[in-house]
Amino acid sequence: MKEKIAHFIGGIVIFFPLAVILVLIDGWNDFENKWRFMASFTLFMTFFEMFVLSKIREGKWFSKKNKNI
């Protein structure tokens, strides 16, 4: 459980600055609902990384041993 919490906090630390950079590229004053976008992008990417990308990286979904895929 502690690993999942650490993974979640680490994802927020990594993906929130990325969301800020995306908003800055688009234009801070031109971007409508910038805080909603940054929060939703951060949470979505954190959960996606926790539940999908980490499983793919560990080889639990697409194993090279499974030739049927």
Side-chain angles (χ1 to χ4, degrees):
M1 185 67 179
K2 288 182 181 181
E3 292 176 10
K4 289 288 185 185
I5 293 171
H7 202 150
F8 180 74
I9 292 171
I12 289 176
V13 168
I14 290 172
F15 290 119
F16 185 74
L18 182 60
V20 171
I21 290 171
L22 289 173
V23 170
L24 289 174
I25 288 172
D26 188 53
W28 185 264
N29 294 326
D30 299 335
F31 203 89
E32 213 173 303
N33 298 324
K34 57 184 151 266
W35 293 107
R36 184 184 305 162
F37 169 77
M38 288 188 290
S40 62
F41 177 83
T42 302
L43 290 176
F44 174 76
M45 288 301 294
T46 301
F47 285 128
F48 184 75
E49 203 278 326
M50 279 177 65
F51 296 114
V52 177
L53 295 179
S54 63
K55 302 295 184 211
I56 292 173
R57 203 173 328 128
E58 292 170 1
K60 292 184 178 178
W61 281 4
F62 300 112
S63 177
K64 293 181 181 179
K65 296 177 185 175
N66 190 357
K67 302 292 183 187
N68 296 330
I69 298 177

Short mmCIF file of all heavy atoms in Angstrom, two decimals:
data_model
loop_
_atom_site.label_atom_id
_atom_site.label_comp_id
_atom_site.label_asym_id
_atom_site.label_seq_id
_atom_site.Cartn_x
_atom_site.Cartn_y
_atom_site.Cartn_z
N MET A 1 0.83 -1.20 0.00
CA MET A 1 0.00 0.00 0.00
C MET A 1 0.87 1.26 0.00
O MET A 1 0.54 2.24 -0.64
CB MET A 1 -0.94 -0.05 1.21
CG MET A 1 -1.91 1.07 1.24
SD MET A 1 -3.05 0.90 -0.13
CE MET A 1 -4.07 2.28 0.13
N LYS A 2 1.98 1.20 0.75
CA LYS A 2 2.86 2.36 0.80
C LYS A 2 3.48 2.63 -0.57
O LYS A 2 3.72 3.78 -0.92
CB LYS A 2 3.96 2.14 1.83
CG LYS A 2 3.48 2.21 3.25
CD LYS A 2 4.63 2.04 4.21
CE LYS A 2 4.14 2.08 5.64
NZ LYS A 2 5.24 1.94 6.60
N GLU A 3 3.72 1.56 -1.33
CA GLU A 3 4.28 1.73 -2.67
C GLU A 3 3.30 2.44 -3.59
O GLU A 3 3.70 3.28 -4.41
CB GLU A 3 4.66 0.38 -3.26
CG GLU A 3 5.81 -0.30 -2.56
CD GLU A 3 6.08 -1.68 -3.12
OE1 GLU A 3 5.51 -2.02 -4.16
OE2 GLU A 3 6.88 -2.40 -2.50
N LYS A 4 2.02 2.11 -3.49
CA LYS A 4 1.00 2.77 -4.33
C LYS A 4 0.87 4.25 -3.97
O LYS A 4 0.72 5.10 -4.85
CB LYS A 4 -0.36 2.08 -4.17
CG LYS A 4 -0.42 0.73 -4.80
CD LYS A 4 -0.44 0.86 -6.30
CE LYS A 4 -0.63 -0.49 -6.93
NZ LYS A 4 -0.54 -0.47 -8.36
N ILE A 5 0.93 4.56 -2.69
CA ILE A 5 0.84 5.96 -2.26
C ILE A 5 2.05 6.74 -2.75
O ILE A 5 1.93 7.85 -3.26
CB ILE A 5 0.68 6.05 -0.73
CG1 ILE A 5 -0.67 5.47 -0.31
CG2 ILE A 5 0.80 7.49 -0.25
CD1 ILE A 5 -0.85 5.32 1.18
N ALA A 6 3.22 6.12 -2.62
CA ALA A 6 4.44 6.78 -3.11
C ALA A 6 4.40 6.94 -4.63
O ALA A 6 4.84 7.97 -5.16
CB ALA A 6 5.66 5.97 -2.69
N HIS A 7 3.87 5.95 -5.31
CA HIS A 7 3.74 6.02 -6.77
C HIS A 7 2.79 7.16 -7.17
O HIS A 7 3.05 7.90 -8.12
CB HIS A 7 3.21 4.69 -7.28
CG HIS A 7 3.50 4.43 -8.71
ND1 HIS A 7 3.68 3.17 -9.20
CD2 HIS A 7 3.65 5.24 -9.77
CE1 HIS A 7 3.93 3.22 -10.48
NE2 HIS A 7 3.89 4.48 -10.85
N PHE A 8 1.68 7.29 -6.44
CA PHE A 8 0.71 8.35 -6.71
C PHE A 8 1.31 9.73 -6.48
O PHE A 8 1.18 10.62 -7.32
CB PHE A 8 -0.53 8.14 -5.83
CG PHE A 8 -1.59 9.16 -6.04
CD1 PHE A 8 -2.38 9.14 -7.17
CD2 PHE A 8 -1.80 10.16 -5.11
CE1 PHE A 8 -3.37 10.09 -7.37
CE2 PHE A 8 -2.78 11.11 -5.29
CZ PHE A 8 -3.56 11.07 -6.43
N ILE A 9 2.00 9.91 -5.36
CA ILE A 9 2.61 11.21 -5.06
C ILE A 9 3.71 11.53 -6.06
O ILE A 9 3.83 12.67 -6.53
CB ILE A 9 3.14 11.23 -3.61
CG1 ILE A 9 1.95 11.18 -2.64
CG2 ILE A 9 3.98 12.47 -3.34
CD1 ILE A 9 2.34 10.98 -1.20
N GLY A 10 4.49 10.53 -6.43
CA GLY A 10 5.53 10.74 -7.44
C GLY A 10 4.95 11.12 -8.79
O GLY A 10 5.50 11.96 -9.50
N GLY A 11 3.82 10.52 -9.15
CA GLY A 11 3.16 10.88 -10.40
C GLY A 11 2.67 12.32 -10.39
O GLY A 11 2.80 13.03 -11.39
N ILE A 12 2.13 12.75 -9.27
CA ILE A 12 1.68 14.15 -9.17
C ILE A 12 2.87 15.10 -9.29
O ILE A 12 2.79 16.12 -9.98
CB ILE A 12 0.91 14.36 -7.85
CG1 ILE A 12 -0.44 13.65 -7.94
CG2 ILE A 12 0.71 15.84 -7.55
CD1 ILE A 12 -1.26 13.70 -6.68
N VAL A 13 3.97 14.75 -8.63
CA VAL A 13 5.16 15.61 -8.68
C VAL A 13 5.71 15.70 -10.10
O VAL A 13 6.17 16.76 -10.53
CB VAL A 13 6.24 15.08 -7.70
CG1 VAL A 13 7.58 15.73 -7.93
CG2 VAL A 13 5.78 15.26 -6.27
N ILE A 14 5.62 14.63 -10.86
CA ILE A 14 6.16 14.62 -12.22
C ILE A 14 5.19 15.26 -13.22
O ILE A 14 5.59 16.05 -14.07
CB ILE A 14 6.50 13.19 -12.64
CG1 ILE A 14 7.71 12.71 -11.85
CG2 ILE A 14 6.78 13.11 -14.14
CD1 ILE A 14 8.02 11.26 -12.03
N PHE A 15 3.90 14.92 -13.13
CA PHE A 15 2.97 15.33 -14.17
C PHE A 15 2.40 16.74 -13.99
O PHE A 15 1.95 17.34 -14.96
CB PHE A 15 1.83 14.31 -14.29
CG PHE A 15 2.29 13.01 -14.87
CD1 PHE A 15 2.19 11.84 -14.15
CD2 PHE A 15 2.85 12.95 -16.13
CE1 PHE A 15 2.62 10.64 -14.67
CE2 PHE A 15 3.29 11.76 -16.67
CZ PHE A 15 3.18 10.61 -15.93
N PHE A 16 2.38 17.29 -12.77
CA PHE A 16 1.88 18.65 -12.61
C PHE A 16 2.76 19.68 -13.30
O PHE A 16 2.24 20.55 -14.02
CB PHE A 16 1.68 19.01 -11.13
CG PHE A 16 1.06 20.35 -10.95
CD1 PHE A 16 -0.28 20.54 -11.21
CD2 PHE A 16 1.81 21.44 -10.54
CE1 PHE A 16 -0.87 21.79 -11.06
CE2 PHE A 16 1.24 22.69 -10.39
CZ PHE A 16 -0.10 22.87 -10.65
N PRO A 17 4.09 19.62 -13.15
CA PRO A 17 4.91 20.58 -13.91
C PRO A 17 4.76 20.42 -15.42
O PRO A 17 4.81 21.40 -16.16
CB PRO A 17 6.34 20.28 -13.47
CG PRO A 17 6.19 19.66 -12.14
CD PRO A 17 4.90 18.89 -12.19
N LEU A 18 4.54 19.18 -15.88
CA LEU A 18 4.31 18.97 -17.30
C LEU A 18 3.01 19.65 -17.75
O LEU A 18 2.96 20.27 -18.82
CB LEU A 18 4.25 17.48 -17.61
CG LEU A 18 4.05 17.10 -19.07
CD1 LEU A 18 5.19 17.63 -19.94
CD2 LEU A 18 3.93 15.60 -19.21
N ALA A 19 1.97 19.59 -16.92
CA ALA A 19 0.71 20.27 -17.23
C ALA A 19 0.90 21.78 -17.25
O ALA A 19 0.35 22.47 -18.12
CB ALA A 19 -0.36 19.89 -16.21
N VAL A 20 1.70 22.31 -16.34
CA VAL A 20 1.98 23.75 -16.32
C VAL A 20 2.72 24.15 -17.60
O VAL A 20 2.40 25.19 -18.21
CB VAL A 20 2.79 24.13 -15.06
CG1 VAL A 20 3.27 25.57 -15.14
CG2 VAL A 20 1.96 23.91 -13.82
N ILE A 21 3.67 23.35 -18.02
CA ILE A 21 4.40 23.64 -19.27
C ILE A 21 3.46 23.63 -20.46
O ILE A 21 3.55 24.49 -21.34
CB ILE A 21 5.57 22.65 -19.44
CG1 ILE A 21 6.64 22.92 -18.40
CG2 ILE A 21 6.16 22.73 -20.84
CD1 ILE A 21 7.72 21.86 -18.33
N LEU A 22 2.53 22.68 -20.50
CA LEU A 22 1.57 22.63 -21.60
C LEU A 22 0.69 23.88 -21.64
O LEU A 22 0.39 24.42 -22.70
CB LEU A 22 0.70 21.38 -21.50
CG LEU A 22 1.39 20.06 -21.80
CD1 LEU A 22 0.45 18.90 -21.50
CD2 LEU A 22 1.85 20.01 -23.24
N VAL A 23 0.27 24.34 -20.46
CA VAL A 23 -0.55 25.56 -20.40
C VAL A 23 0.29 26.77 -20.82
O VAL A 23 -0.20 27.66 -21.54
CB VAL A 23 -1.15 25.75 -19.00
CG1 VAL A 23 -1.78 27.11 -18.85
CG2 VAL A 23 -2.17 24.66 -18.72
N LEU A 24 1.54 26.83 -20.40
CA LEU A 24 2.40 27.96 -20.77
C LEU A 24 2.67 27.98 -22.27
O LEU A 24 2.76 29.05 -22.87
CB LEU A 24 3.72 27.90 -20.00
CG LEU A 24 3.62 28.23 -18.52
CD1 LEU A 24 4.96 28.01 -17.84
CD2 LEU A 24 3.12 29.64 -18.31
N ILE A 25 2.81 26.81 -22.89
CA ILE A 25 3.03 26.76 -24.34
C ILE A 25 1.81 27.31 -25.07
O ILE A 25 1.94 28.05 -26.05
CB ILE A 25 3.34 25.32 -24.77
CG1 ILE A 25 4.74 24.93 -24.32
CG2 ILE A 25 3.22 25.15 -26.28
CD1 ILE A 25 5.07 23.46 -24.53
N ASP A 26 0.62 26.96 -24.58
CA ASP A 26 -0.60 27.43 -25.23
C ASP A 26 -0.85 28.91 -24.94
O ASP A 26 -1.52 29.58 -25.71
CB ASP A 26 -1.79 26.59 -24.77
CG ASP A 26 -3.04 26.90 -25.55
OD1 ASP A 26 -2.97 26.85 -26.79
OD2 ASP A 26 -4.06 27.23 -24.94
N GLY A 27 -0.36 29.41 -23.87
CA GLY A 27 -0.58 30.81 -23.49
C GLY A 27 -1.37 30.88 -22.20
O GLY A 27 -2.51 30.43 -22.15
N TRP A 28 -0.76 31.41 -21.16
CA TRP A 28 -1.39 31.41 -19.84
C TRP A 28 -2.69 32.20 -19.84
O TRP A 28 -3.70 31.76 -19.29
CB TRP A 28 -0.40 32.00 -18.82
CG TRP A 28 -0.91 31.94 -17.43
CD1 TRP A 28 -1.54 32.92 -16.75
CD2 TRP A 28 -0.85 30.83 -16.54
NE1 TRP A 28 -1.86 32.51 -15.48
CE2 TRP A 28 -1.45 31.21 -15.33
CE3 TRP A 28 -0.34 29.54 -16.64
CZ2 TRP A 28 -1.55 30.36 -14.24
CZ3 TRP A 28 -0.44 28.70 -15.55
CH2 TRP A 28 -1.05 29.11 -14.37
N ASN A 29 -2.71 33.37 -20.46
CA ASN A 29 -3.92 34.20 -20.45
C ASN A 29 -4.96 33.73 -21.45
O ASN A 29 -6.14 34.03 -21.29
CB ASN A 29 -3.55 35.66 -20.72
CG ASN A 29 -2.71 36.23 -19.60
OD1 ASN A 29 -2.88 35.87 -18.44
ND2 ASN A 29 -1.79 37.11 -19.94
N ASP A 30 -4.54 33.03 -22.49
CA ASP A 30 -5.48 32.58 -23.51
C ASP A 30 -6.17 31.27 -23.14
O ASP A 30 -7.19 30.93 -23.73
CB ASP A 30 -4.74 32.38 -24.84
CG ASP A 30 -4.13 33.67 -25.35
OD1 ASP A 30 -4.64 34.74 -24.98
OD2 ASP A 30 -3.14 33.60 -26.09
N PHE A 31 -5.62 30.56 -22.19
CA PHE A 31 -6.13 29.23 -21.85
C PHE A 31 -7.28 29.36 -20.87
O PHE A 31 -7.13 29.84 -19.75
CB PHE A 31 -5.01 28.38 -21.24
CG PHE A 31 -5.25 26.91 -21.35
CD1 PHE A 31 -4.83 26.22 -22.46
CD2 PHE A 31 -5.89 26.21 -20.35
CE1 PHE A 31 -5.03 24.86 -22.58
CE2 PHE A 31 -6.12 24.87 -20.46
CZ PHE A 31 -5.68 24.18 -21.57
N GLU A 32 -8.46 28.93 -21.31
CA GLU A 32 -9.64 28.98 -20.44
C GLU A 32 -9.64 27.75 -19.54
O GLU A 32 -9.29 26.65 -19.97
CB GLU A 32 -10.90 28.96 -21.31
CG GLU A 32 -12.03 29.76 -20.74
CD GLU A 32 -13.18 29.84 -21.71
OE1 GLU A 32 -12.95 30.31 -22.83
OE2 GLU A 32 -14.26 29.42 -21.34
N ASN A 33 -10.02 27.87 -18.30
CA ASN A 33 -10.06 26.77 -17.32
C ASN A 33 -8.70 26.10 -17.15
O ASN A 33 -8.58 24.89 -17.17
CB ASN A 33 -11.10 25.73 -17.72
CG ASN A 33 -12.50 26.28 -17.76
OD1 ASN A 33 -12.85 27.12 -16.94
ND2 ASN A 33 -13.28 25.83 -18.71
N LYS A 34 -7.66 26.89 -17.02
CA LYS A 34 -6.31 26.34 -16.93
C LYS A 34 -6.11 25.47 -15.69
O LYS A 34 -5.44 24.46 -15.75
CB LYS A 34 -5.26 27.43 -17.02
CG LYS A 34 -5.36 28.49 -15.99
CD LYS A 34 -4.33 29.58 -16.25
CE LYS A 34 -4.79 30.91 -15.77
NZ LYS A 34 -5.45 31.72 -16.76
N TRP A 35 -6.70 25.85 -14.57
CA TRP A 35 -6.51 25.07 -13.35
C TRP A 35 -7.25 23.74 -13.44
O TRP A 35 -6.77 22.72 -12.95
CB TRP A 35 -6.96 25.87 -12.13
CG TRP A 35 -6.06 27.04 -11.90
CD1 TRP A 35 -6.35 28.35 -12.13
CD2 TRP A 35 -4.70 27.00 -11.46
NE1 TRP A 35 -5.26 29.12 -11.84
CE2 TRP A 35 -4.23 28.33 -11.43
CE3 TRP A 35 -3.84 25.98 -11.08
CZ2 TRP A 35 -2.94 28.65 -11.04
CZ3 TRP A 35 -2.55 26.31 -10.69
CH2 TRP A 35 -2.12 27.62 -10.67
N ARG A 36 -8.42 23.73 -14.05
CA ARG A 36 -9.16 22.49 -14.23
C ARG A 36 -8.39 21.55 -15.16
O ARG A 36 -8.31 20.35 -14.91
CB ARG A 36 -10.54 22.76 -14.81
CG ARG A 36 -11.37 21.49 -14.92
CD ARG A 36 -12.70 21.72 -15.58
NE ARG A 36 -13.45 22.75 -14.88
CZ ARG A 36 -14.48 23.39 -15.41
NH1 ARG A 36 -14.88 23.12 -16.62
NH2 ARG A 36 -15.12 24.31 -14.72
N PHE A 37 -7.82 22.10 -16.23
CA PHE A 37 -7.03 21.29 -17.14
C PHE A 37 -5.81 20.71 -16.43
O PHE A 37 -5.51 19.52 -16.57
CB PHE A 37 -6.58 22.10 -18.36
CG PHE A 37 -5.55 21.37 -19.19
CD1 PHE A 37 -5.95 20.36 -20.04
CD2 PHE A 37 -4.21 21.69 -19.11
CE1 PHE A 37 -5.02 19.67 -20.79
CE2 PHE A 37 -3.28 21.01 -19.85
CZ PHE A 37 -3.68 20.00 -20.71
N MET A 38 -5.10 21.54 -15.68
CA MET A 38 -3.89 21.06 -15.01
C MET A 38 -4.22 19.97 -13.98
O MET A 38 -3.51 18.97 -13.89
CB MET A 38 -3.14 22.22 -14.36
CG MET A 38 -2.46 23.12 -15.36
SD MET A 38 -1.37 24.35 -14.64
CE MET A 38 -2.52 25.43 -13.85
N ALA A 39 -5.30 20.15 -13.23
CA ALA A 39 -5.68 19.14 -12.23
C ALA A 39 -6.12 17.84 -12.90
O ALA A 39 -5.69 16.75 -12.51
CB ALA A 39 -6.78 19.68 -11.34
N SER A 40 -6.97 17.95 -13.92
CA SER A 40 -7.45 16.73 -14.57
C SER A 40 -6.34 16.02 -15.34
O SER A 40 -6.26 14.79 -15.32
CB SER A 40 -8.62 17.05 -15.50
OG SER A 40 -8.22 17.93 -16.52
N PHE A 41 -5.46 16.76 -16.00
CA PHE A 41 -4.34 16.15 -16.71
C PHE A 41 -3.42 15.43 -15.72
O PHE A 41 -3.01 14.29 -15.96
CB PHE A 41 -3.56 17.22 -17.47
CG PHE A 41 -2.34 16.69 -18.18
CD1 PHE A 41 -2.46 16.11 -19.42
CD2 PHE A 41 -1.09 16.78 -17.59
CE1 PHE A 41 -1.34 15.61 -20.07
CE2 PHE A 41 0.03 16.29 -18.23
CZ PHE A 41 -0.09 15.70 -19.48
N THR A 42 -3.13 16.07 -14.60
CA THR A 42 -2.24 15.48 -13.60
C THR A 42 -2.84 14.20 -13.03
O THR A 42 -2.16 13.17 -12.96
CB THR A 42 -1.97 16.49 -12.47
OG1 THR A 42 -1.40 17.67 -13.03
CG2 THR A 42 -1.04 15.91 -11.44
N LEU A 43 -4.10 14.25 -12.64
CA LEU A 43 -4.73 13.05 -12.06
C LEU A 43 -4.88 11.94 -13.08
O LEU A 43 -4.60 10.78 -12.78
CB LEU A 43 -6.08 13.41 -11.45
CG LEU A 43 -6.01 14.26 -10.19
CD1 LEU A 43 -7.42 14.63 -9.74
CD2 LEU A 43 -5.28 13.52 -9.09
N PHE A 44 -5.31 12.27 -14.30
CA PHE A 44 -5.49 11.25 -15.33
C PHE A 44 -4.17 10.58 -15.66
O PHE A 44 -4.08 9.34 -15.71
CB PHE A 44 -6.11 11.85 -16.59
CG PHE A 44 -6.18 10.87 -17.72
CD1 PHE A 44 -7.15 9.88 -17.73
CD2 PHE A 44 -5.27 10.91 -18.75
CE1 PHE A 44 -7.21 8.96 -18.77
CE2 PHE A 44 -5.32 10.00 -19.79
CZ PHE A 44 -6.29 9.02 -19.79
N MET A 45 -3.13 11.35 -15.87
CA MET A 45 -1.84 10.78 -16.22
C MET A 45 -1.25 9.98 -15.06
O MET A 45 -0.61 8.94 -15.28
CB MET A 45 -0.86 11.87 -16.67
CG MET A 45 -1.19 12.44 -18.02
SD MET A 45 -1.19 11.22 -19.34
CE MET A 45 0.53 10.76 -19.39
N THR A 46 -1.47 10.42 -13.83
CA THR A 46 -0.98 9.68 -12.68
C THR A 46 -1.65 8.32 -12.57
O THR A 46 -0.99 7.30 -12.41
CB THR A 46 -1.20 10.49 -11.39
OG1 THR A 46 -0.51 11.73 -11.49
CG2 THR A 46 -0.71 9.73 -10.18
N PHE A 47 -2.98 8.30 -12.68
CA PHE A 47 -3.69 7.03 -12.61
C PHE A 47 -3.37 6.14 -13.81
O PHE A 47 -3.23 4.92 -13.67
CB PHE A 47 -5.21 7.25 -12.52
CG PHE A 47 -5.64 7.73 -11.17
CD1 PHE A 47 -6.42 8.85 -11.04
CD2 PHE A 47 -5.26 7.05 -10.01
CE1 PHE A 47 -6.82 9.30 -9.79
CE2 PHE A 47 -5.65 7.49 -8.76
CZ PHE A 47 -6.45 8.61 -8.65
N PHE A 48 -3.24 6.72 -15.00
CA PHE A 48 -2.90 5.95 -16.19
C PHE A 48 -1.53 5.32 -16.04
O PHE A 48 -1.32 4.15 -16.38
CB PHE A 48 -2.95 6.86 -17.42
CG PHE A 48 -2.70 6.14 -18.71
CD1 PHE A 48 -3.68 5.34 -19.26
CD2 PHE A 48 -1.49 6.26 -19.37
CE1 PHE A 48 -3.46 4.67 -20.45
CE2 PHE A 48 -1.26 5.60 -20.56
CZ PHE A 48 -2.25 4.80 -21.10
N GLU A 49 -0.60 6.06 -15.50
CA GLU A 49 0.76 5.53 -15.29
C GLU A 49 0.75 4.45 -14.22
O GLU A 49 1.44 3.44 -14.35
CB GLU A 49 1.70 6.67 -14.90
CG GLU A 49 3.16 6.39 -15.18
CD GLU A 49 3.82 5.57 -14.12
OE1 GLU A 49 3.46 5.72 -12.94
OE2 GLU A 49 4.70 4.77 -14.46
N MET A 50 -0.05 4.64 -13.16
CA MET A 50 -0.09 3.66 -12.07
C MET A 50 -0.70 2.34 -12.51
O MET A 50 -0.17 1.27 -12.20
CB MET A 50 -0.91 4.20 -10.90
CG MET A 50 -0.20 5.14 -9.99
SD MET A 50 -1.27 5.78 -8.70
CE MET A 50 -1.66 4.32 -7.77
N PHE A 51 -1.81 2.41 -13.24
CA PHE A 51 -2.57 1.21 -13.52
C PHE A 51 -2.34 0.61 -14.90
O PHE A 51 -2.64 -0.56 -15.11
CB PHE A 51 -4.07 1.49 -13.34
CG PHE A 51 -4.42 1.83 -11.93
CD1 PHE A 51 -4.88 3.09 -11.59
CD2 PHE A 51 -4.27 0.90 -10.91
CE1 PHE A 51 -5.20 3.40 -10.29
CE2 PHE A 51 -4.59 1.21 -9.60
CZ PHE A 51 -5.05 2.46 -9.29
N VAL A 52 -1.81 1.36 -15.85
CA VAL A 52 -1.61 0.83 -17.19
C VAL A 52 -0.14 0.74 -17.56
O VAL A 52 0.38 -0.34 -17.85
CB VAL A 52 -2.39 1.67 -18.23
CG1 VAL A 52 -2.13 1.17 -19.64
CG2 VAL A 52 -3.87 1.66 -17.94
N LEU A 53 0.54 1.87 -17.55
CA LEU A 53 1.93 1.88 -18.01
C LEU A 53 2.85 1.06 -17.13
O LEU A 53 3.77 0.40 -17.64
CB LEU A 53 2.43 3.32 -18.12
CG LEU A 53 1.74 4.19 -19.16
CD1 LEU A 53 2.32 5.60 -19.13
CD2 LEU A 53 1.89 3.60 -20.53
N SER A 54 2.63 1.07 -15.83
CA SER A 54 3.50 0.28 -14.95
C SER A 54 3.31 -1.21 -15.20
O SER A 54 4.27 -1.98 -15.13
CB SER A 54 3.25 0.62 -13.49
OG SER A 54 1.94 0.28 -13.12
N LYS A 55 2.08 -1.65 -15.51
CA LYS A 55 1.84 -3.06 -15.81
C LYS A 55 2.49 -3.47 -17.12
O LYS A 55 3.03 -4.56 -17.23
CB LYS A 55 0.33 -3.35 -15.88
CG LYS A 55 -0.42 -3.00 -14.64
CD LYS A 55 -0.01 -3.84 -13.47
CE LYS A 55 -0.89 -3.51 -12.28
NZ LYS A 55 -0.25 -3.66 -11.03
N ILE A 56 2.44 -2.60 -18.10
CA ILE A 56 3.10 -2.89 -19.38
C ILE A 56 4.61 -2.95 -19.19
O ILE A 56 5.28 -3.84 -19.73
CB ILE A 56 2.71 -1.83 -20.43
CG1 ILE A 56 1.23 -1.97 -20.78
CG2 ILE A 56 3.56 -1.96 -21.69
CD1 ILE A 56 0.71 -0.86 -21.67
N ARG A 57 5.15 -2.01 -18.41
CA ARG A 57 6.58 -1.97 -18.17
C ARG A 57 7.06 -3.21 -17.41
O ARG A 57 8.15 -3.72 -17.66
CB ARG A 57 6.93 -0.71 -17.37
CG ARG A 57 8.35 -0.28 -17.51
CD ARG A 57 8.62 1.06 -16.86
NE ARG A 57 7.48 1.95 -16.91
CZ ARG A 57 6.96 2.57 -15.84
NH1 ARG A 57 7.49 2.40 -14.66
NH2 ARG A 57 5.92 3.36 -15.96
N GLU A 58 6.25 -3.72 -16.48
CA GLU A 58 6.61 -4.91 -15.72
C GLU A 58 6.45 -6.18 -16.55
O GLU A 58 6.93 -7.23 -16.15
CB GLU A 58 5.74 -5.02 -14.47
CG GLU A 58 6.01 -3.94 -13.44
CD GLU A 58 4.99 -3.94 -12.33
OE1 GLU A 58 4.07 -4.79 -12.34
OE2 GLU A 58 5.09 -3.07 -11.45
N GLY A 59 5.77 -6.08 -17.68
CA GLY A 59 5.57 -7.24 -18.53
C GLY A 59 4.41 -8.12 -18.13
O GLY A 59 4.32 -9.27 -18.53
N LYS A 60 3.49 -7.58 -17.34
CA LYS A 60 2.35 -8.38 -16.90
C LYS A 60 1.26 -8.47 -17.95
O LYS A 60 0.46 -9.39 -17.93
CB LYS A 60 1.77 -7.80 -15.60
CG LYS A 60 2.70 -7.96 -14.42
CD LYS A 60 2.06 -7.46 -13.15
CE LYS A 60 2.99 -7.67 -11.98
NZ LYS A 60 2.43 -7.16 -10.74
N TRP A 61 1.19 -7.52 -18.87
CA TRP A 61 0.14 -7.55 -19.88
C TRP A 61 0.63 -8.13 -21.19
O TRP A 61 0.01 -9.01 -21.75
CB TRP A 61 -0.40 -6.15 -20.11
CG TRP A 61 -1.36 -5.71 -19.06
CD1 TRP A 61 -1.70 -6.38 -17.93
CD2 TRP A 61 -2.09 -4.50 -19.03
NE1 TRP A 61 -2.58 -5.66 -17.21
CE2 TRP A 61 -2.85 -4.51 -17.84
CE3 TRP A 61 -2.17 -3.42 -19.87
CZ2 TRP A 61 -3.69 -3.46 -17.51
CZ3 TRP A 61 -3.00 -2.39 -19.53
CH2 TRP A 61 -3.76 -2.41 -18.36
N PHE A 62 1.71 -7.60 -21.70
CA PHE A 62 2.22 -8.03 -22.99
C PHE A 62 3.56 -8.73 -22.78
O PHE A 62 4.61 -8.14 -22.93
CB PHE A 62 2.38 -6.85 -23.94
CG PHE A 62 1.09 -6.13 -24.20
CD1 PHE A 62 0.89 -4.85 -23.73
CD2 PHE A 62 0.08 -6.74 -24.89
CE1 PHE A 62 -0.30 -4.18 -23.96
CE2 PHE A 62 -1.12 -6.08 -25.12
CZ PHE A 62 -1.31 -4.81 -24.66
N SER A 63 3.48 -9.98 -22.45
CA SER A 63 4.70 -10.74 -22.22
C SER A 63 5.23 -11.28 -23.54
O SER A 63 4.47 -11.67 -24.43
CB SER A 63 4.40 -11.90 -21.27
OG SER A 63 5.54 -12.69 -21.10
N LYS A 64 6.54 -11.33 -23.69
CA LYS A 64 7.12 -11.87 -24.90
C LYS A 64 6.96 -13.39 -24.98
O LYS A 64 7.07 -13.97 -26.04
CB LYS A 64 8.61 -11.50 -24.95
CG LYS A 64 8.84 -10.03 -25.12
CD LYS A 64 10.30 -9.70 -25.20
CE LYS A 64 10.48 -8.19 -25.36
NZ LYS A 64 11.88 -7.82 -25.41
N LYS A 65 6.67 -14.01 -23.86
CA LYS A 65 6.45 -15.46 -23.84
C LYS A 65 5.12 -15.84 -24.48
O LYS A 65 4.97 -16.93 -24.99
CB LYS A 65 6.48 -15.97 -22.40
CG LYS A 65 7.82 -15.80 -21.74
CD LYS A 65 7.76 -16.26 -20.30
CE LYS A 65 9.07 -15.98 -19.60
NZ LYS A 65 8.99 -16.32 -18.18
N ASN A 66 4.17 -14.92 -24.46
CA ASN A 66 2.85 -15.19 -25.02
C ASN A 66 2.88 -14.88 -26.51
O ASN A 66 2.86 -13.74 -26.93
CB ASN A 66 1.79 -14.36 -24.30
CG ASN A 66 0.40 -14.77 -24.67
OD1 ASN A 66 0.19 -15.63 -25.51
ND2 ASN A 66 -0.58 -14.15 -24.02
N LYS A 67 2.86 -15.89 -27.34
CA LYS A 67 2.95 -15.71 -28.79
C LYS A 67 1.59 -15.49 -29.45
O LYS A 67 1.51 -15.24 -30.63
CB LYS A 67 3.60 -16.95 -29.44
CG LYS A 67 4.98 -17.26 -28.89
CD LYS A 67 5.97 -16.19 -29.29
CE LYS A 67 7.35 -16.59 -28.79
NZ LYS A 67 8.32 -15.57 -28.97
N ASN A 68 0.50 -15.58 -28.69
CA ASN A 68 -0.84 -15.44 -29.27
C ASN A 68 -1.23 -14.00 -29.54
O ASN A 68 -2.19 -13.74 -30.23
CB ASN A 68 -1.88 -16.07 -28.34
CG ASN A 68 -1.67 -17.56 -28.20
OD1 ASN A 68 -1.17 -18.21 -29.12
ND2 ASN A 68 -2.04 -18.11 -27.06
N ILE A 69 -0.48 -13.05 -29.00
CA ILE A 69 -0.85 -11.64 -29.17
C ILE A 69 -0.26 -11.12 -30.45
O ILE A 69 0.83 -11.27 -30.81
CB ILE A 69 -0.38 -10.80 -27.97
CG1 ILE A 69 -1.09 -11.30 -26.73
CG2 ILE A 69 -0.66 -9.34 -28.19
CD1 ILE A 69 -0.68 -10.61 -25.45
#
